[in-house]
PDB file of all heavy atoms in Angstrom:
ATOM      1  N   LEU A   1      -6.128   1.884   7.878  1.00 88.00           N
ATOM      2  CA  LEU A   1      -6.411   1.243   6.597  1.00 88.00           C
ATOM      3  C   LEU A   1      -6.307  -0.281   6.701  1.00 88.00           C
ATOM      4  O   LEU A   1      -7.089  -1.014   6.081  1.00 88.00           O
ATOM      5  CB  LEU A   1      -5.430   1.743   5.527  1.00 88.00           C
ATOM      6  CG  LEU A   1      -5.643   3.158   4.994  1.00 88.00           C
ATOM      7  CD1 LEU A   1      -4.415   3.606   4.208  1.00 88.00           C
ATOM      8  CD2 LEU A   1      -6.887   3.218   4.105  1.00 88.00           C
ATOM      9  N   ALA A   2      -5.335  -0.753   7.480  1.00 84.00           N
ATOM     10  CA  ALA A   2      -5.102  -2.198   7.601  1.00 84.00           C
ATOM     11  C   ALA A   2      -6.287  -2.923   8.223  1.00 84.00           C
ATOM     12  O   ALA A   2      -6.462  -4.128   8.021  1.00 84.00           O
ATOM     13  CB  ALA A   2      -3.840  -2.447   8.419  1.00 84.00           C
ATOM     14  N   GLU A   3      -7.113  -2.194   8.973  1.00 86.00           N
ATOM     15  CA  GLU A   3      -8.249  -2.817   9.652  1.00 86.00           C
ATOM     16  C   GLU A   3      -9.519  -2.814   8.802  1.00 86.00           C
ATOM     17  O   GLU A   3     -10.514  -3.432   9.177  1.00 86.00           O
ATOM     18  CB  GLU A   3      -8.517  -2.093  10.980  1.00 86.00           C
ATOM     19  CG  GLU A   3      -7.374  -2.242  11.989  1.00 86.00           C
ATOM     20  CD  GLU A   3      -7.625  -1.462  13.266  1.00 86.00           C
ATOM     21  OE1 GLU A   3      -8.664  -0.776  13.327  1.00 86.00           O
ATOM     22  OE2 GLU A   3      -6.793  -1.552  14.182  1.00 86.00           O
ATOM     23  N   LEU A   4      -9.487  -2.150   7.648  1.00 86.00           N
ATOM     24  CA  LEU A   4     -10.679  -2.035   6.802  1.00 86.00           C
ATOM     25  C   LEU A   4     -10.748  -3.151   5.774  1.00 86.00           C
ATOM     26  O   LEU A   4      -9.728  -3.726   5.391  1.00 86.00           O
ATOM     27  CB  LEU A   4     -10.675  -0.683   6.079  1.00 86.00           C
ATOM     28  CG  LEU A   4     -10.660   0.573   6.951  1.00 86.00           C
ATOM     29  CD1 LEU A   4     -10.565   1.809   6.064  1.00 86.00           C
ATOM     30  CD2 LEU A   4     -11.913   0.644   7.827  1.00 86.00           C
ATOM     31  N   ASP A   5     -11.967  -3.466   5.311  1.00 86.00           N
ATOM     32  CA  ASP A   5     -12.079  -4.404   4.197  1.00 86.00           C
ATOM     33  C   ASP A   5     -11.731  -3.670   2.908  1.00 86.00           C
ATOM     34  O   ASP A   5     -11.541  -2.456   2.897  1.00 86.00           O
ATOM     35  CB  ASP A   5     -13.477  -5.029   4.118  1.00 86.00           C
ATOM     36  CG  ASP A   5     -14.591  -4.009   3.921  1.00 86.00           C
ATOM     37  OD1 ASP A   5     -14.373  -2.992   3.225  1.00 86.00           O
ATOM     38  OD2 ASP A   5     -15.692  -4.214   4.454  1.00 86.00           O
ATOM     39  N   GLU A   6     -11.633  -4.398   1.806  1.00 83.00           N
ATOM     40  CA  GLU A   6     -11.082  -3.843   0.571  1.00 83.00           C
ATOM     41  C   GLU A   6     -11.863  -2.644   0.047  1.00 83.00           C
ATOM     42  O   GLU A   6     -11.279  -1.648  -0.371  1.00 83.00           O
ATOM     43  CB  GLU A   6     -11.026  -4.937  -0.504  1.00 83.00           C
ATOM     44  CG  GLU A   6     -10.180  -4.545  -1.705  1.00 83.00           C
ATOM     45  CD  GLU A   6      -9.940  -5.697  -2.657  1.00 83.00           C
ATOM     46  OE1 GLU A   6     -10.060  -6.857  -2.231  1.00 83.00           O
ATOM     47  OE2 GLU A   6      -9.624  -5.431  -3.835  1.00 83.00           O
ATOM     48  N   SER A   7     -13.186  -2.719   0.066  1.00 87.00           N
ATOM     49  CA  SER A   7     -13.993  -1.613  -0.480  1.00 87.00           C
ATOM     50  C   SER A   7     -13.877  -0.359   0.373  1.00 87.00           C
ATOM     51  O   SER A   7     -13.735   0.754  -0.155  1.00 87.00           O
ATOM     52  CB  SER A   7     -15.463  -2.034  -0.600  1.00 87.00           C
ATOM     53  OG  SER A   7     -15.986  -2.387   0.668  1.00 87.00           O
ATOM     54  N   ASP A   8     -13.911  -0.534   1.702  1.00 90.00           N
ATOM     55  CA  ASP A   8     -13.782   0.620   2.599  1.00 90.00           C
ATOM     56  C   ASP A   8     -12.381   1.217   2.510  1.00 90.00           C
ATOM     57  O   ASP A   8     -12.200   2.435   2.592  1.00 90.00           O
ATOM     58  CB  ASP A   8     -14.081   0.218   4.047  1.00 90.00           C
ATOM     59  CG  ASP A   8     -15.549  -0.077   4.279  1.00 90.00           C
ATOM     60  OD1 ASP A   8     -16.380   0.382   3.457  1.00 90.00           O
ATOM     61  OD2 ASP A   8     -15.876  -0.772   5.257  1.00 90.00           O
ATOM     62  N   ARG A   9     -11.375   0.345   2.316  1.00 88.00           N
ATOM     63  CA  ARG A   9     -10.000   0.820   2.187  1.00 88.00           C
ATOM     64  C   ARG A   9      -9.851   1.685   0.936  1.00 88.00           C
ATOM     65  O   ARG A   9      -9.240   2.750   0.971  1.00 88.00           O
ATOM     66  CB  ARG A   9      -9.036  -0.369   2.134  1.00 88.00           C
ATOM     67  CG  ARG A   9      -7.560   0.043   2.205  1.00 88.00           C
ATOM     68  CD  ARG A   9      -6.647  -1.155   2.128  1.00 88.00           C
ATOM     69  NE  ARG A   9      -6.897  -2.091   3.203  1.00 88.00           N
ATOM     70  CZ  ARG A   9      -7.165  -3.379   3.046  1.00 88.00           C
ATOM     71  NH1 ARG A   9      -7.190  -3.900   1.839  1.00 88.00           N
ATOM     72  NH2 ARG A   9      -7.380  -4.147   4.085  1.00 88.00           N
ATOM     73  N   ALA A  10     -10.432   1.214  -0.163  1.00 89.00           N
ATOM     74  CA  ALA A  10     -10.354   1.965  -1.417  1.00 89.00           C
ATOM     75  C   ALA A  10     -11.028   3.325  -1.276  1.00 89.00           C
ATOM     76  O   ALA A  10     -10.518   4.342  -1.769  1.00 89.00           O
ATOM     77  CB  ALA A  10     -11.010   1.169  -2.539  1.00 89.00           C
ATOM     78  N   GLU A  11     -12.144   3.339  -0.576  1.00 91.00           N
ATOM     79  CA  GLU A  11     -12.883   4.603  -0.369  1.00 91.00           C
ATOM     80  C   GLU A  11     -12.066   5.576   0.477  1.00 91.00           C
ATOM     81  O   GLU A  11     -11.988   6.765   0.178  1.00 91.00           O
ATOM     82  CB  GLU A  11     -14.221   4.296   0.309  1.00 91.00           C
ATOM     83  CG  GLU A  11     -15.133   5.517   0.448  1.00 91.00           C
ATOM     84  CD  GLU A  11     -16.473   5.166   1.081  1.00 91.00           C
ATOM     85  OE1 GLU A  11     -16.928   4.014   0.937  1.00 91.00           O
ATOM     86  OE2 GLU A  11     -17.069   6.060   1.727  1.00 91.00           O
ATOM     87  N   MET A  12     -11.423   5.042   1.519  1.00 91.00           N
ATOM     88  CA  MET A  12     -10.624   5.901   2.398  1.00 91.00           C
ATOM     89  C   MET A  12      -9.394   6.423   1.663  1.00 91.00           C
ATOM     90  O   MET A  12      -9.019   7.596   1.818  1.00 91.00           O
ATOM     91  CB  MET A  12     -10.217   5.133   3.650  1.00 91.00           C
ATOM     92  CG  MET A  12      -9.542   5.988   4.715  1.00 91.00           C
ATOM     93  SD  MET A  12      -9.322   5.084   6.261  1.00 91.00           S
ATOM     94  CE  MET A  12      -8.634   6.373   7.316  1.00 91.00           C
ATOM     95  N   LEU A  13      -8.755   5.567   0.866  1.00 90.00           N
ATOM     96  CA  LEU A  13      -7.592   6.001   0.089  1.00 90.00           C
ATOM     97  C   LEU A  13      -7.968   7.132  -0.852  1.00 90.00           C
ATOM     98  O   LEU A  13      -7.242   8.129  -0.967  1.00 90.00           O
ATOM     99  CB  LEU A  13      -7.018   4.828  -0.710  1.00 90.00           C
ATOM    100  CG  LEU A  13      -6.195   3.800   0.067  1.00 90.00           C
ATOM    101  CD1 LEU A  13      -5.944   2.567  -0.791  1.00 90.00           C
ATOM    102  CD2 LEU A  13      -4.868   4.403   0.526  1.00 90.00           C
ATOM    103  N   GLU A  14      -9.104   6.993  -1.514  1.00 90.00           N
ATOM    104  CA  GLU A  14      -9.562   8.031  -2.444  1.00 90.00           C
ATOM    105  C   GLU A  14      -9.822   9.338  -1.710  1.00 90.00           C
ATOM    106  O   GLU A  14      -9.496  10.429  -2.203  1.00 90.00           O
ATOM    107  CB  GLU A  14     -10.823   7.564  -3.167  1.00 90.00           C
ATOM    108  CG  GLU A  14     -11.291   8.530  -4.255  1.00 90.00           C
ATOM    109  CD  GLU A  14     -12.529   8.037  -4.978  1.00 90.00           C
ATOM    110  OE1 GLU A  14     -13.012   6.927  -4.665  1.00 90.00           O
ATOM    111  OE2 GLU A  14     -13.024   8.775  -5.858  1.00 90.00           O
ATOM    112  N   SER A  15     -10.368   9.229  -0.498  1.00 91.00           N
ATOM    113  CA  SER A  15     -10.710  10.434   0.261  1.00 91.00           C
ATOM    114  C   SER A  15      -9.483  11.226   0.692  1.00 91.00           C
ATOM    115  O   SER A  15      -9.552  12.443   0.886  1.00 91.00           O
ATOM    116  CB  SER A  15     -11.544  10.069   1.498  1.00 91.00           C
ATOM    117  OG  SER A  15     -10.759   9.399   2.466  1.00 91.00           O
ATOM    118  N   VAL A  16      -8.336  10.533   0.838  1.00 90.00           N
ATOM    119  CA  VAL A  16      -7.099  11.224   1.252  1.00 90.00           C
ATOM    120  C   VAL A  16      -6.151  11.441   0.074  1.00 90.00           C
ATOM    121  O   VAL A  16      -5.037  11.930   0.245  1.00 90.00           O
ATOM    122  CB  VAL A  16      -6.377  10.470   2.392  1.00 90.00           C
ATOM    123  CG1 VAL A  16      -7.245  10.430   3.646  1.00 90.00           C
ATOM    124  CG2 VAL A  16      -5.958   9.067   1.960  1.00 90.00           C
ATOM    125  N   GLY A  17      -6.576  11.027  -1.123  1.00 89.00           N
ATOM    126  CA  GLY A  17      -5.787  11.295  -2.329  1.00 89.00           C
ATOM    127  C   GLY A  17      -4.636  10.347  -2.576  1.00 89.00           C
ATOM    128  O   GLY A  17      -3.659  10.704  -3.244  1.00 89.00           O
ATOM    129  N   LEU A  18      -4.729   9.115  -2.062  1.00 87.00           N
ATOM    130  CA  LEU A  18      -3.683   8.114  -2.295  1.00 87.00           C
ATOM    131  C   LEU A  18      -4.177   7.028  -3.253  1.00 87.00           C
ATOM    132  O   LEU A  18      -5.329   6.610  -3.169  1.00 87.00           O
ATOM    133  CB  LEU A  18      -3.252   7.461  -0.978  1.00 87.00           C
ATOM    134  CG  LEU A  18      -2.542   8.355   0.048  1.00 87.00           C
ATOM    135  CD1 LEU A  18      -2.246   7.560   1.319  1.00 87.00           C
ATOM    136  CD2 LEU A  18      -1.245   8.925  -0.521  1.00 87.00           C
ATOM    137  N   GLU A  19      -3.312   6.571  -4.157  1.00 87.00           N
ATOM    138  CA  GLU A  19      -3.681   5.517  -5.096  1.00 87.00           C
ATOM    139  C   GLU A  19      -3.582   4.130  -4.467  1.00 87.00           C
ATOM    140  O   GLU A  19      -4.286   3.204  -4.860  1.00 87.00           O
ATOM    141  CB  GLU A  19      -2.789   5.573  -6.341  1.00 87.00           C
ATOM    142  CG  GLU A  19      -3.012   6.833  -7.186  1.00 87.00           C
ATOM    143  CD  GLU A  19      -2.168   6.831  -8.436  1.00 87.00           C
ATOM    144  OE1 GLU A  19      -1.438   5.834  -8.668  1.00 87.00           O
ATOM    145  OE2 GLU A  19      -2.236   7.816  -9.189  1.00 87.00           O
ATOM    146  N   GLU A  20      -2.684   3.972  -3.519  1.00 86.00           N
ATOM    147  CA  GLU A  20      -2.493   2.702  -2.819  1.00 86.00           C
ATOM    148  C   GLU A  20      -1.956   3.010  -1.423  1.00 86.00           C
ATOM    149  O   GLU A  20      -1.435   4.100  -1.166  1.00 86.00           O
ATOM    150  CB  GLU A  20      -1.516   1.799  -3.579  1.00 86.00           C
ATOM    151  CG  GLU A  20      -0.115   2.374  -3.706  1.00 86.00           C
ATOM    152  CD  GLU A  20       0.853   1.427  -4.419  1.00 86.00           C
ATOM    153  OE1 GLU A  20       0.544   0.232  -4.532  1.00 86.00           O
ATOM    154  OE2 GLU A  20       1.915   1.901  -4.849  1.00 86.00           O
ATOM    155  N   PRO A  21      -2.080   2.062  -0.488  1.00 86.00           N
ATOM    156  CA  PRO A  21      -1.496   2.296   0.832  1.00 86.00           C
ATOM    157  C   PRO A  21       0.002   2.566   0.725  1.00 86.00           C
ATOM    158  O   PRO A  21       0.696   1.953  -0.086  1.00 86.00           O
ATOM    159  CB  PRO A  21      -1.767   0.975   1.573  1.00 86.00           C
ATOM    160  CG  PRO A  21      -2.928   0.365   0.868  1.00 86.00           C
ATOM    161  CD  PRO A  21      -2.782   0.764  -0.567  1.00 86.00           C
ATOM    162  N   ALA A  22       0.507   3.470   1.538  1.00 87.00           N
ATOM    163  CA  ALA A  22       1.940   3.767   1.524  1.00 87.00           C
ATOM    164  C   ALA A  22       2.754   2.544   1.931  1.00 87.00           C
ATOM    165  O   ALA A  22       3.929   2.423   1.576  1.00 87.00           O
ATOM    166  CB  ALA A  22       2.239   4.932   2.466  1.00 87.00           C
ATOM    167  N   LEU A  23       2.106   1.625   2.649  1.00 85.00           N
ATOM    168  CA  LEU A  23       2.809   0.414   3.049  1.00 85.00           C
ATOM    169  C   LEU A  23       3.218  -0.426   1.843  1.00 85.00           C
ATOM    170  O   LEU A  23       4.221  -1.137   1.885  1.00 85.00           O
ATOM    171  CB  LEU A  23       1.929  -0.425   3.984  1.00 85.00           C
ATOM    172  CG  LEU A  23       1.607   0.190   5.348  1.00 85.00           C
ATOM    173  CD1 LEU A  23       0.832  -0.795   6.204  1.00 85.00           C
ATOM    174  CD2 LEU A  23       2.865   0.646   6.066  1.00 85.00           C
ATOM    175  N   ALA A  24       2.439  -0.356   0.758  1.00 86.00           N
ATOM    176  CA  ALA A  24       2.799  -1.086  -0.462  1.00 86.00           C
ATOM    177  C   ALA A  24       4.092  -0.513  -1.043  1.00 86.00           C
ATOM    178  O   ALA A  24       4.981  -1.253  -1.480  1.00 86.00           O
ATOM    179  CB  ALA A  24       1.661  -0.993  -1.478  1.00 86.00           C
ATOM    180  N   VAL A  25       4.193   0.815  -1.029  1.00 88.00           N
ATOM    181  CA  VAL A  25       5.406   1.488  -1.510  1.00 88.00           C
ATOM    182  C   VAL A  25       6.585   1.115  -0.618  1.00 88.00           C
ATOM    183  O   VAL A  25       7.693   0.833  -1.097  1.00 88.00           O
ATOM    184  CB  VAL A  25       5.206   3.019  -1.519  1.00 88.00           C
ATOM    185  CG1 VAL A  25       6.459   3.729  -2.018  1.00 88.00           C
ATOM    186  CG2 VAL A  25       4.001   3.396  -2.379  1.00 88.00           C
ATOM    187  N   LEU A  26       6.338   1.081   0.688  1.00 89.00           N
ATOM    188  CA  LEU A  26       7.388   0.753   1.652  1.00 89.00           C
ATOM    189  C   LEU A  26       7.882  -0.684   1.467  1.00 89.00           C
ATOM    190  O   LEU A  26       9.099  -0.945   1.487  1.00 89.00           O
ATOM    191  CB  LEU A  26       6.867   0.949   3.074  1.00 89.00           C
ATOM    192  CG  LEU A  26       7.781   0.518   4.220  1.00 89.00           C
ATOM    193  CD1 LEU A  26       9.129   1.218   4.134  1.00 89.00           C
ATOM    194  CD2 LEU A  26       7.130   0.787   5.563  1.00 89.00           C
ATOM    195  N   ALA A  27       6.972  -1.627   1.283  1.00 87.00           N
ATOM    196  CA  ALA A  27       7.359  -3.024   1.117  1.00 87.00           C
ATOM    197  C   ALA A  27       8.247  -3.199  -0.119  1.00 87.00           C
ATOM    198  O   ALA A  27       9.259  -3.898  -0.073  1.00 87.00           O
ATOM    199  CB  ALA A  27       6.125  -3.914   1.007  1.00 87.00           C
ATOM    200  N   ARG A  28       7.892  -2.534  -1.213  1.00 89.00           N
ATOM    201  CA  ARG A  28       8.708  -2.642  -2.438  1.00 89.00           C
ATOM    202  C   ARG A  28      10.068  -1.989  -2.245  1.00 89.00           C
ATOM    203  O   ARG A  28      11.091  -2.502  -2.711  1.00 89.00           O
ATOM    204  CB  ARG A  28       7.958  -2.003  -3.614  1.00 89.00           C
ATOM    205  CG  ARG A  28       6.721  -2.789  -4.061  1.00 89.00           C
ATOM    206  CD  ARG A  28       6.223  -2.313  -5.407  1.00 89.00           C
ATOM    207  NE  ARG A  28       5.686  -0.967  -5.369  1.00 89.00           N
ATOM    208  CZ  ARG A  28       4.411  -0.665  -5.157  1.00 89.00           C
ATOM    209  NH1 ARG A  28       3.526  -1.641  -4.952  1.00 89.00           N
ATOM    210  NH2 ARG A  28       3.997   0.585  -5.148  1.00 89.00           N
ATOM    211  N   ALA A  29      10.103  -0.857  -1.529  1.00 91.00           N
ATOM    212  CA  ALA A  29      11.377  -0.173  -1.281  1.00 91.00           C
ATOM    213  C   ALA A  29      12.277  -1.018  -0.377  1.00 91.00           C
ATOM    214  O   ALA A  29      13.489  -1.077  -0.580  1.00 91.00           O
ATOM    215  CB  ALA A  29      11.130   1.197  -0.655  1.00 91.00           C
ATOM    216  N   ALA A  30      11.684  -1.672   0.620  1.00 91.00           N
ATOM    217  CA  ALA A  30      12.462  -2.544   1.507  1.00 91.00           C
ATOM    218  C   ALA A  30      13.050  -3.718   0.724  1.00 91.00           C
ATOM    219  O   ALA A  30      14.195  -4.127   0.941  1.00 91.00           O
ATOM    220  CB  ALA A  30      11.574  -3.065   2.637  1.00 91.00           C
ATOM    221  N   TYR A  31      12.278  -4.231  -0.196  1.00 90.00           N
ATOM    222  CA  TYR A  31      12.715  -5.333  -1.071  1.00 90.00           C
ATOM    223  C   TYR A  31      13.943  -4.901  -1.872  1.00 90.00           C
ATOM    224  O   TYR A  31      14.937  -5.623  -1.953  1.00 90.00           O
ATOM    225  CB  TYR A  31      11.534  -5.632  -1.994  1.00 90.00           C
ATOM    226  CG  TYR A  31      11.502  -6.992  -2.653  1.00 90.00           C
ATOM    227  CD1 TYR A  31      11.363  -8.155  -1.903  1.00 90.00           C
ATOM    228  CD2 TYR A  31      11.529  -7.108  -4.036  1.00 90.00           C
ATOM    229  CE1 TYR A  31      11.276  -9.401  -2.518  1.00 90.00           C
ATOM    230  CE2 TYR A  31      11.444  -8.339  -4.658  1.00 90.00           C
ATOM    231  CZ  TYR A  31      11.318  -9.491  -3.892  1.00 90.00           C
ATOM    232  OH  TYR A  31      11.228 -10.705  -4.513  1.00 90.00           O
ATOM    233  N   ARG A  32      13.881  -3.689  -2.432  1.00 91.00           N
ATOM    234  CA  ARG A  32      15.022  -3.168  -3.200  1.00 91.00           C
ATOM    235  C   ARG A  32      16.236  -2.943  -2.305  1.00 91.00           C
ATOM    236  O   ARG A  32      17.376  -3.221  -2.691  1.00 91.00           O
ATOM    237  CB  ARG A  32      14.645  -1.850  -3.896  1.00 91.00           C
ATOM    238  CG  ARG A  32      13.667  -1.995  -5.044  1.00 91.00           C
ATOM    239  CD  ARG A  32      13.598  -0.702  -5.843  1.00 91.00           C
ATOM    240  NE  ARG A  32      13.118   0.420  -5.063  1.00 91.00           N
ATOM    241  CZ  ARG A  32      11.830   0.744  -4.911  1.00 91.00           C
ATOM    242  NH1 ARG A  32      10.898  -0.001  -5.488  1.00 91.00           N
ATOM    243  NH2 ARG A  32      11.485   1.789  -4.197  1.00 91.00           N
ATOM    244  N   THR A  33      15.989  -2.404  -1.112  1.00 92.00           N
ATOM    245  CA  THR A  33      17.082  -2.114  -0.179  1.00 92.00           C
ATOM    246  C   THR A  33      17.832  -3.390   0.204  1.00 92.00           C
ATOM    247  O   THR A  33      19.051  -3.378   0.403  1.00 92.00           O
ATOM    248  CB  THR A  33      16.533  -1.412   1.085  1.00 92.00           C
ATOM    249  OG1 THR A  33      15.893  -0.186   0.703  1.00 92.00           O
ATOM    250  CG2 THR A  33      17.642  -1.090   2.080  1.00 92.00           C
ATOM    251  N   LEU A  34      17.102  -4.491   0.285  1.00 92.00           N
ATOM    252  CA  LEU A  34      17.709  -5.780   0.598  1.00 92.00           C
ATOM    253  C   LEU A  34      18.450  -6.378  -0.596  1.00 92.00           C
ATOM    254  O   LEU A  34      19.079  -7.427  -0.483  1.00 92.00           O
ATOM    255  CB  LEU A  34      16.634  -6.758   1.075  1.00 92.00           C
ATOM    256  CG  LEU A  34      16.168  -6.580   2.528  1.00 92.00           C
ATOM    257  CD1 LEU A  34      14.838  -7.271   2.754  1.00 92.00           C
ATOM    258  CD2 LEU A  34      17.221  -7.116   3.496  1.00 92.00           C
ATOM    259  N   GLY A  35      18.343  -5.712  -1.757  1.00 92.00           N
ATOM    260  CA  GLY A  35      19.018  -6.221  -2.950  1.00 92.00           C
ATOM    261  C   GLY A  35      18.321  -7.425  -3.546  1.00 92.00           C
ATOM    262  O   GLY A  35      18.967  -8.341  -4.066  1.00 92.00           O
ATOM    263  N   LEU A  36      16.987  -7.440  -3.478  1.00 94.00           N
ATOM    264  CA  LEU A  36      16.204  -8.563  -3.955  1.00 94.00           C
ATOM    265  C   LEU A  36      15.450  -8.230  -5.227  1.00 94.00           C
ATOM    266  O   LEU A  36      15.171  -7.063  -5.512  1.00 94.00           O
ATOM    267  CB  LEU A  36      15.201  -9.009  -2.875  1.00 94.00           C
ATOM    268  CG  LEU A  36      15.801  -9.396  -1.522  1.00 94.00           C
ATOM    269  CD1 LEU A  36      14.699  -9.692  -0.530  1.00 94.00           C
ATOM    270  CD2 LEU A  36      16.736 -10.594  -1.662  1.00 94.00           C
ATOM    271  N   GLN A  37      15.093  -9.257  -5.979  1.00 94.00           N
ATOM    272  CA  GLN A  37      14.251  -9.099  -7.154  1.00 94.00           C
ATOM    273  C   GLN A  37      13.362 -10.331  -7.276  1.00 94.00           C
ATOM    274  O   GLN A  37      13.577 -11.341  -6.599  1.00 94.00           O
ATOM    275  CB  GLN A  37      15.085  -8.916  -8.415  1.00 94.00           C
ATOM    276  CG  GLN A  37      15.955 -10.104  -8.771  1.00 94.00           C
ATOM    277  CD  GLN A  37      16.843  -9.853  -9.985  1.00 94.00           C
ATOM    278  OE1 GLN A  37      17.037  -8.722 -10.403  1.00 94.00           O
ATOM    279  NE2 GLN A  37      17.401 -10.911 -10.556  1.00 94.00           N
ATOM    280  N   SER A  38      12.360 -10.252  -8.152  1.00 95.00           N
ATOM    281  CA  SER A  38      11.409 -11.347  -8.313  1.00 95.00           C
ATOM    282  C   SER A  38      11.490 -11.965  -9.698  1.00 95.00           C
ATOM    283  O   SER A  38      11.708 -11.268 -10.684  1.00 95.00           O
ATOM    284  CB  SER A  38       9.972 -10.839  -8.091  1.00 95.00           C
ATOM    285  OG  SER A  38       9.774 -10.412  -6.768  1.00 95.00           O
TER     286      SER A  38
END
């Protein structure tokens, strides 16, 4: 997914049933684990 452009990424995500890359979920979880906020 990281190697695709935005439109191809969205198409691939839809094909596998994901709303967003799991990396987005991971980045937010890592942020929380570090005890950070925005």
Side-chain angles (χ1 to χ4, degrees):
L1 286 167
E3 295 177 357
L4 301 176
D5 60 35
E6 193 171 339
S7 60
D8 289 340
R9 188 181 301 126
E11 186 178 332
M12 188 171 184
L13 284 168
E14 186 179 358
S15 71
V16 297
L18 294 177
E19 293 183 2
E20 63 178 343
L23 294 185
V25 180
L26 174 56
R28 291 194 292 268
Y31 201 65
R32 290 192 298 272
T33 300
L34 282 162
L36 303 175
Q37 63 184 16
S38 295

